[in-house]
Short mmCIF file of all heavy atoms in Angstrom, two decimals:
data_model
loop_
_atom_site.label_atom_id
_atom_site.label_comp_id
_atom_site.label_asym_id
_atom_site.label_seq_id
_atom_site.Cartn_x
_atom_site.Cartn_y
_atom_site.Cartn_z
N PHE H 56 -29.56 -72.89 35.20
CA PHE H 56 -30.49 -71.89 34.70
C PHE H 56 -30.56 -71.93 33.17
O PHE H 56 -29.53 -71.87 32.51
CB PHE H 56 -30.01 -70.53 35.20
CG PHE H 56 -30.89 -69.36 34.86
CD1 PHE H 56 -32.20 -69.31 35.29
CD2 PHE H 56 -30.37 -68.28 34.16
CE1 PHE H 56 -33.00 -68.20 35.02
CE2 PHE H 56 -31.15 -67.17 33.88
CZ PHE H 56 -32.48 -67.13 34.30
N THR H 57 -31.76 -72.03 32.62
CA THR H 57 -32.09 -72.13 31.19
C THR H 57 -31.70 -73.46 30.58
O THR H 57 -31.85 -73.65 29.37
CB THR H 57 -31.49 -70.97 30.33
OG1 THR H 57 -30.08 -71.14 30.18
CG2 THR H 57 -31.82 -69.61 30.90
N ARG H 90 -37.04 -73.04 22.06
CA ARG H 90 -35.88 -72.49 22.76
C ARG H 90 -35.99 -70.97 22.96
O ARG H 90 -35.31 -70.41 23.82
CB ARG H 90 -34.60 -72.80 21.98
CG ARG H 90 -34.28 -74.27 21.84
CD ARG H 90 -33.00 -74.45 21.05
NE ARG H 90 -31.84 -74.04 21.81
CZ ARG H 90 -30.77 -73.42 21.28
NH1 ARG H 90 -30.77 -73.12 20.00
NH2 ARG H 90 -29.74 -73.10 22.03
N LEU H 91 -36.82 -70.33 22.19
CA LEU H 91 -36.98 -68.88 22.30
C LEU H 91 -38.25 -68.50 23.06
O LEU H 91 -38.78 -67.41 22.91
CB LEU H 91 -36.96 -68.24 20.91
CG LEU H 91 -35.67 -68.43 20.12
CD1 LEU H 91 -35.75 -67.76 18.76
CD2 LEU H 91 -34.46 -67.90 20.90
N THR H 92 -38.73 -69.43 23.86
CA THR H 92 -39.88 -69.14 24.70
C THR H 92 -39.57 -68.01 25.68
O THR H 92 -38.42 -67.79 26.04
CB THR H 92 -40.29 -70.39 25.50
OG1 THR H 92 -41.41 -70.08 26.33
CG2 THR H 92 -39.16 -70.88 26.40
N ARG H 93 -40.63 -67.32 26.09
CA ARG H 93 -40.50 -66.28 27.11
C ARG H 93 -41.17 -66.70 28.42
O ARG H 93 -41.48 -65.85 29.26
CB ARG H 93 -41.08 -64.96 26.59
CG ARG H 93 -40.29 -64.35 25.45
CD ARG H 93 -40.92 -63.07 24.92
NE ARG H 93 -40.12 -62.50 23.85
CZ ARG H 93 -39.20 -61.54 23.99
NH1 ARG H 93 -38.99 -61.03 25.20
NH2 ARG H 93 -38.52 -61.09 22.97
N MET H 95 -39.94 -68.00 30.94
CA MET H 95 -39.14 -67.79 32.14
C MET H 95 -39.47 -66.48 32.85
O MET H 95 -39.07 -66.28 34.00
CB MET H 95 -37.66 -67.86 31.82
CG MET H 95 -37.19 -69.26 31.45
SD MET H 95 -35.42 -69.47 31.58
CE MET H 95 -35.23 -69.62 33.36
N SER H 96 -40.18 -65.58 32.17
CA SER H 96 -40.57 -64.32 32.83
C SER H 96 -41.43 -64.58 34.06
O SER H 96 -41.51 -63.73 34.95
CB SER H 96 -41.33 -63.42 31.85
OG SER H 96 -40.50 -63.02 30.79
N MET H 155 -22.66 -62.16 40.61
CA MET H 155 -22.51 -62.40 39.17
C MET H 155 -21.40 -61.58 38.54
O MET H 155 -21.02 -60.51 39.05
CB MET H 155 -23.83 -62.11 38.46
CG MET H 155 -24.30 -60.67 38.55
SD MET H 155 -25.92 -60.39 37.79
CE MET H 155 -26.96 -60.38 39.23
N LEU H 156 -20.85 -62.12 37.47
CA LEU H 156 -19.88 -61.40 36.61
C LEU H 156 -18.68 -60.86 37.37
O LEU H 156 -18.13 -59.81 37.02
CB LEU H 156 -20.59 -60.25 35.88
CG LEU H 156 -21.73 -60.66 34.96
CD1 LEU H 156 -22.42 -59.41 34.41
CD2 LEU H 156 -21.21 -61.52 33.81
N ALA H 166 -27.53 -54.80 41.29
CA ALA H 166 -27.96 -55.23 39.95
C ALA H 166 -29.21 -56.09 40.03
O ALA H 166 -30.12 -55.98 39.20
CB ALA H 166 -26.83 -55.99 39.26
N MET H 170 -32.80 -55.29 38.22
CA MET H 170 -33.44 -56.22 37.29
C MET H 170 -34.86 -56.56 37.74
O MET H 170 -35.73 -56.81 36.91
CB MET H 170 -32.60 -57.50 37.14
CG MET H 170 -31.33 -57.30 36.34
SD MET H 170 -30.47 -58.83 35.93
CE MET H 170 -29.86 -59.33 37.55
N LEU H 173 -36.91 -53.02 36.94
CA LEU H 173 -37.04 -52.57 35.56
C LEU H 173 -37.86 -53.57 34.73
O LEU H 173 -38.03 -54.73 35.13
CB LEU H 173 -35.65 -52.41 34.94
CG LEU H 173 -34.79 -51.30 35.55
CD1 LEU H 173 -33.38 -51.35 34.97
CD2 LEU H 173 -35.41 -49.93 35.31
N PRO H 174 -38.38 -53.15 33.58
CA PRO H 174 -39.09 -54.08 32.70
C PRO H 174 -38.20 -55.27 32.32
O PRO H 174 -36.99 -55.12 32.13
CB PRO H 174 -39.41 -53.22 31.47
CG PRO H 174 -39.45 -51.83 31.99
CD PRO H 174 -38.41 -51.77 33.06
N ASP H 175 -38.81 -56.43 32.21
CA ASP H 175 -38.07 -57.64 31.89
C ASP H 175 -37.48 -57.55 30.48
O ASP H 175 -38.12 -57.05 29.56
CB ASP H 175 -39.01 -58.86 31.99
CG ASP H 175 -38.26 -60.18 31.98
OD1 ASP H 175 -37.05 -60.19 32.28
OD2 ASP H 175 -38.90 -61.20 31.66
N GLN H 176 -36.26 -58.06 30.34
CA GLN H 176 -35.61 -58.12 29.03
C GLN H 176 -35.06 -59.52 28.81
O GLN H 176 -34.74 -60.22 29.77
CB GLN H 176 -34.47 -57.12 28.95
CG GLN H 176 -34.87 -55.67 29.06
CD GLN H 176 -33.68 -54.75 28.85
OE1 GLN H 176 -33.04 -54.75 27.81
NE2 GLN H 176 -33.38 -53.97 29.87
N TYR H 177 -34.93 -59.90 27.54
CA TYR H 177 -34.29 -61.16 27.19
C TYR H 177 -32.96 -60.86 26.51
O TYR H 177 -32.91 -60.14 25.51
CB TYR H 177 -35.19 -62.00 26.28
CG TYR H 177 -36.20 -62.79 27.08
CD1 TYR H 177 -37.32 -62.17 27.63
CD2 TYR H 177 -36.01 -64.14 27.35
CE1 TYR H 177 -38.23 -62.87 28.40
CE2 TYR H 177 -36.92 -64.86 28.12
CZ TYR H 177 -38.03 -64.22 28.63
OH TYR H 177 -38.92 -64.93 29.40
N LEU H 178 -31.89 -61.38 27.10
CA LEU H 178 -30.54 -61.15 26.61
C LEU H 178 -29.92 -62.46 26.15
O LEU H 178 -30.13 -63.50 26.77
CB LEU H 178 -29.68 -60.53 27.71
CG LEU H 178 -30.20 -59.23 28.35
CD1 LEU H 178 -29.24 -58.77 29.44
CD2 LEU H 178 -30.39 -58.14 27.30
N TRP H 179 -29.15 -62.41 25.07
CA TRP H 179 -28.46 -63.60 24.58
C TRP H 179 -27.34 -63.97 25.53
O TRP H 179 -26.62 -63.09 26.01
CB TRP H 179 -27.87 -63.36 23.19
CG TRP H 179 -28.85 -63.00 22.13
CD1 TRP H 179 -29.03 -61.77 21.54
CD2 TRP H 179 -29.80 -63.88 21.50
NE1 TRP H 179 -30.04 -61.83 20.60
CE2 TRP H 179 -30.53 -63.11 20.55
CE3 TRP H 179 -30.12 -65.24 21.65
CZ2 TRP H 179 -31.53 -63.65 19.76
CZ3 TRP H 179 -31.12 -65.78 20.86
CH2 TRP H 179 -31.81 -65.00 19.93
N TRP H 180 -27.16 -65.26 25.79
CA TRP H 180 -25.99 -65.70 26.56
C TRP H 180 -24.72 -65.31 25.80
O TRP H 180 -23.74 -64.89 26.41
CB TRP H 180 -26.03 -67.21 26.79
CG TRP H 180 -26.99 -67.65 27.84
CD1 TRP H 180 -28.07 -68.47 27.69
CD2 TRP H 180 -26.96 -67.32 29.24
NE1 TRP H 180 -28.72 -68.68 28.89
CE2 TRP H 180 -28.06 -67.98 29.86
CE3 TRP H 180 -26.12 -66.53 30.03
CZ2 TRP H 180 -28.33 -67.87 31.22
CZ3 TRP H 180 -26.39 -66.42 31.39
CH2 TRP H 180 -27.48 -67.09 31.97
N ASP H 181 -24.74 -65.49 24.47
CA ASP H 181 -23.60 -65.11 23.64
C ASP H 181 -24.15 -64.29 22.48
O ASP H 181 -24.73 -64.85 21.55
CB ASP H 181 -22.86 -66.34 23.13
CG ASP H 181 -21.55 -65.97 22.43
OD1 ASP H 181 -21.48 -64.88 21.83
OD2 ASP H 181 -20.62 -66.79 22.47
N PRO H 182 -24.01 -62.96 22.48
CA PRO H 182 -24.57 -62.12 21.42
C PRO H 182 -24.01 -62.43 20.04
O PRO H 182 -24.62 -62.07 19.04
CB PRO H 182 -24.18 -60.70 21.86
CG PRO H 182 -23.92 -60.81 23.32
CD PRO H 182 -23.36 -62.18 23.54
N ARG H 183 -22.86 -63.09 19.98
CA ARG H 183 -22.30 -63.45 18.68
C ARG H 183 -22.99 -64.69 18.11
O ARG H 183 -23.31 -64.74 16.92
CB ARG H 183 -20.80 -63.72 18.81
CG ARG H 183 -19.98 -62.51 19.27
CD ARG H 183 -18.61 -62.95 19.74
NE ARG H 183 -18.70 -63.91 20.85
CZ ARG H 183 -17.66 -64.59 21.33
NH1 ARG H 183 -16.46 -64.41 20.82
NH2 ARG H 183 -17.82 -65.43 22.35
N LEU H 184 -23.26 -65.67 18.94
CA LEU H 184 -23.87 -66.92 18.48
C LEU H 184 -25.39 -66.85 18.47
O LEU H 184 -26.05 -67.53 17.68
CB LEU H 184 -23.41 -68.08 19.37
CG LEU H 184 -21.93 -68.42 19.33
CD1 LEU H 184 -21.62 -69.51 20.36
CD2 LEU H 184 -21.51 -68.87 17.94
N LYS H 185 -25.96 -66.07 19.39
CA LYS H 185 -27.41 -65.94 19.52
C LYS H 185 -28.06 -67.32 19.64
O LYS H 185 -27.70 -68.11 20.49
CB LYS H 185 -27.98 -65.10 18.38
CG LYS H 185 -27.46 -63.67 18.38
CD LYS H 185 -28.11 -62.82 17.31
CE LYS H 185 -27.60 -61.40 17.39
NZ LYS H 185 -28.19 -60.53 16.36
N GLU H 186 -29.03 -67.65 18.74
CA GLU H 186 -29.74 -68.92 18.86
C GLU H 186 -28.90 -70.13 18.51
O GLU H 186 -29.32 -71.29 18.70
CB GLU H 186 -31.02 -68.91 18.01
CG GLU H 186 -30.77 -68.85 16.51
CD GLU H 186 -30.68 -67.42 16.01
OE1 GLU H 186 -30.49 -66.50 16.84
OE2 GLU H 186 -30.82 -67.24 14.79
N GLN H 188 -26.21 -70.80 20.06
CA GLN H 188 -25.54 -71.13 21.31
C GLN H 188 -25.76 -72.59 21.67
O GLN H 188 -26.87 -73.12 21.58
CB GLN H 188 -26.08 -70.23 22.43
CG GLN H 188 -25.65 -70.62 23.84
CD GLN H 188 -24.27 -70.10 24.18
OE1 GLN H 188 -23.69 -69.33 23.44
NE2 GLN H 188 -23.76 -70.52 25.32
N TYR H 194 -31.97 -73.02 26.44
CA TYR H 194 -32.36 -71.70 25.96
C TYR H 194 -31.10 -70.87 25.66
O TYR H 194 -30.20 -70.79 26.50
CB TYR H 194 -33.19 -70.95 27.00
CG TYR H 194 -34.48 -71.63 27.41
CD1 TYR H 194 -35.11 -71.26 28.60
CD2 TYR H 194 -35.08 -72.62 26.63
CE1 TYR H 194 -36.30 -71.85 29.00
CE2 TYR H 194 -36.26 -73.22 27.02
CZ TYR H 194 -36.87 -72.84 28.21
OH TYR H 194 -38.04 -73.43 28.60
N PRO H 195 -31.05 -70.21 24.50
CA PRO H 195 -29.88 -69.40 24.16
C PRO H 195 -29.93 -68.00 24.77
O PRO H 195 -28.99 -67.24 24.61
CB PRO H 195 -29.94 -69.33 22.63
CG PRO H 195 -31.40 -69.38 22.33
CD PRO H 195 -32.01 -70.29 23.37
N TRP H 196 -31.06 -67.67 25.40
CA TRP H 196 -31.18 -66.37 26.05
C TRP H 196 -31.81 -66.54 27.42
O TRP H 196 -32.21 -67.64 27.81
CB TRP H 196 -31.95 -65.39 25.18
CG TRP H 196 -33.40 -65.73 24.87
CD1 TRP H 196 -34.14 -66.79 25.31
CD2 TRP H 196 -34.26 -64.97 24.02
NE1 TRP H 196 -35.41 -66.74 24.80
CE2 TRP H 196 -35.52 -65.64 24.01
CE3 TRP H 196 -34.12 -63.80 23.29
CZ2 TRP H 196 -36.61 -65.16 23.27
CZ3 TRP H 196 -35.20 -63.33 22.57
CH2 TRP H 196 -36.44 -64.01 22.56
N PHE H 197 -31.89 -65.43 28.18
CA PHE H 197 -32.43 -65.51 29.53
C PHE H 197 -33.23 -64.26 29.84
O PHE H 197 -33.00 -63.18 29.28
CB PHE H 197 -31.32 -65.71 30.56
CG PHE H 197 -30.34 -64.55 30.65
CD1 PHE H 197 -30.55 -63.51 31.55
CD2 PHE H 197 -29.23 -64.51 29.82
CE1 PHE H 197 -29.66 -62.45 31.63
CE2 PHE H 197 -28.33 -63.44 29.89
CZ PHE H 197 -28.54 -62.41 30.79
N SER H 198 -34.16 -64.42 30.73
CA SER H 198 -34.96 -63.31 31.25
C SER H 198 -34.18 -62.64 32.37
O SER H 198 -33.71 -63.30 33.31
CB SER H 198 -36.29 -63.86 31.78
OG SER H 198 -36.83 -63.02 32.78
N THR H 199 -34.03 -61.31 32.30
CA THR H 199 -33.32 -60.60 33.36
C THR H 199 -34.06 -60.72 34.69
O THR H 199 -33.44 -60.82 35.75
CB THR H 199 -33.13 -59.12 32.99
OG1 THR H 199 -34.41 -58.53 32.67
CG2 THR H 199 -32.19 -58.98 31.80
N ARG H 200 -35.38 -60.72 34.63
CA ARG H 200 -36.16 -60.85 35.86
C ARG H 200 -35.98 -62.23 36.48
O ARG H 200 -35.84 -62.37 37.70
CB ARG H 200 -37.64 -60.57 35.58
CG ARG H 200 -38.52 -60.61 36.82
CD ARG H 200 -39.86 -59.96 36.54
NE ARG H 200 -39.70 -58.54 36.24
CZ ARG H 200 -40.60 -57.81 35.60
NH1 ARG H 200 -41.72 -58.36 35.18
NH2 ARG H 200 -40.38 -56.52 35.39
N ALA H 201 -35.97 -63.27 35.64
CA ALA H 201 -35.78 -64.63 36.16
C ALA H 201 -34.39 -64.78 36.76
O ALA H 201 -34.22 -65.41 37.81
CB ALA H 201 -35.99 -65.65 35.04
N LEU H 202 -33.38 -64.19 36.12
CA LEU H 202 -32.03 -64.25 36.68
C LEU H 202 -32.00 -63.59 38.05
O LEU H 202 -31.40 -64.12 39.00
CB LEU H 202 -31.05 -63.55 35.73
CG LEU H 202 -29.60 -63.45 36.24
CD1 LEU H 202 -29.01 -64.83 36.46
CD2 LEU H 202 -28.75 -62.64 35.26
N ALA H 203 -32.66 -62.45 38.18
CA ALA H 203 -32.70 -61.77 39.47
C ALA H 203 -33.39 -62.63 40.52
O ALA H 203 -32.99 -62.62 41.70
CB ALA H 203 -33.42 -60.43 39.32
#
Side-chain angles (χ1 to χ4, degrees):
F56 184 59
T57 73
R90 297 180 71 217
L91 298 180
T92 179
R93 292 178 179 264
M95 290 199 77
S96 295
M155 63 184 100
L156 299 175
M170 288 189 290
L173 294 173
D175 193 21
Q176 297 185 60
Y177 277 76
L178 304 179
W179 300 108
W180 284 118
D181 189 329
R183 298 164 301 171
L184 295 175
K185 297 184 178 180
E186 66 271 17
Q188 170 82 8
Y194 300 162
W196 63 3
F197 63 92
S198 154
T199 54
R200 183 164 296 160
L202 176 61

